[in-house]
Amino acid sequence: MSSSALTPSTWLHGSRRPSWLSDPKVLRTEVLAGLVVALALIPEAISFSIIAGVDPAVGLFASFTMAVTIAVVGGRPAMISAATGAVALVIAPLNREHGFGHLVAAVILAGVFQIVLGALGVAKLMRFVPRSVMVGFVNSLAILIFMAQVPEMTDVPWPVYPLIAAGLALMVFFPRITTVVPAPLVSIVILTVITLAAGIAVPTVGDKGELPSALPVPGLPDVPFTLDTLTTVAPYALAMALVGLMESLMTAKLVDEITDTHSSKTRESVGQGVANIVTGLFGGMGGCAMIGQTMINVRVSGARTRLSTFLAGALLMVLCVLFGPVVSDIPMAALVAVMVMVSVATFDWHSIAPKTLKRMPAGQITVMVVTVVCVVATHNLAVGVVVGSVTAMVIFAKRVARLAEVTAVTDPDETTVVYRVTGELFFASSNDLVGRFDYAADPDKVVIDLSAAHVWDASSVAALDAVETKYAQRGKTVEIIGLNEHSARIHQTLSGELTGGH
């Protein structure tokens, strides 16, 4: 059976028989994890709707359809996809300038782009993301999660603070009593009961916006299907597709490490596209993987299968439509406490321990810091990952460039000199190659031994051509030996073709 086959026994887990069908403990864990995530999704989705400039129901519908769809078609079990702040920031200008219909059209087109990019193998680019960038990504994510809670802790009634402290205490100490019920769920329930029973006036979920009272209805976006509409929405759709894929693939890689399992990044890329198309057809604002909610699901609640993802979306709508008044009374302090706990658990504290920093190469520390700074400054995880990866590549190129060495050995009869070149020859290292030879003093025959080197690019071939030209101008001959198969092929193809023969 292929990894992409979907049958009744595989759609919620990815194997022939889901573990939750045969193990009641797993089923309980998945159900309760889905409930906790659903509760945490509601205020987040409403907040992101406000950022995008749409009705709160639009963000909630997007979270419902994204989670339910990705549970079936996604490549990473237990990962949560829903409406996100990154996507909201991308499409907000489109909604503001052209209206909601264009926003929905952009979401659908972004889904198409993601399917195409997934089919083209964009997920393979993840291999170029170094570990130092991944650590920076995780740490900046934890910082952003915490920063997102700060507005909920400023200019609020004083009871909010003891409620948050109580919530944190419950999540720290309750697991020592039992792990049958997730501590975040216990914290939310107890704090809600306390505030209602004592009549404590604090901000609640209902203060964020009105919850929907009915399920979304499918339909096409209300826009003219013309070339002008396409050119208007395409740039926003492409930006949304790229940002969504970047965050989703990075989150999938993080969950792979936490759970010590492998997932199909190509299937995840295509799945994100399918989920956004479905979300757009149901009038949602689109989205991608939600890192904070995924950490609640995987790290805090211990979920491991697609069932928790499916239930997070399904229970979200159940809570809104059937239990809206009850959910509206949940104090924001309870959810803030959960997210603060998530940020603390997500941060890689080992990465900043003095012992680790002493042993870590300066270049890797720099890459980690650059990634964190860029993400926190832009509030865009994709920007940080790209800048961090480029920084890592530059540092790597500079380090490897220094490994290229040239040593000379002259024959006893002084008629031949052999230059032995070792290391990797590419654009960074080959720039200094031309200056490493003694053109005036060398004998008439020069041998360049590349058996311990590798020629990678046109810059290196051009440098070797320049060396030969300088010797030829002095009436001396050059023989290049020791080229490996790849180096010989690129040298034979490009030599003499890069400078017009001069």
Side-chain angles (χ1 to χ4, degrees), residues 134-160:
M134 191 68 188
V135 173
F137 169 82
V138 170
N139 289 345
S140 56
L141 156 66
I143 294 171
L144 287 185
I145 292 174
F146 181 82
M147 289 175 61
Q149 311 314 309
V150 173
E152 304 297 337
M153 295 185 283
T154 55
D155 297 325
V156 292
W158 69 265
V160 167

Side-chain angles (χ1 to χ4, degrees), residues 89 140-141 143-144 147 369-381 383-384 387:
L89 289 170
S140 56
L141 156 66
I143 294 171
L144 287 185
M147 289 175 61
V369 172
V370 166
T371 303
V372 171
V373 170
C374 287
V375 171
V376 173
T378 63
H379 285 237
N380 191 322
L381 291 161
V383 170
V387 175

Side-chain angles (χ1 to χ4, degrees), residues 418-429:
V418 179
Y419 283 95
R420 182 174 177 81
V421 182
T422 61
E424 309 299 318
L425 298 181
F426 63 111
F427 62 88
S429 60

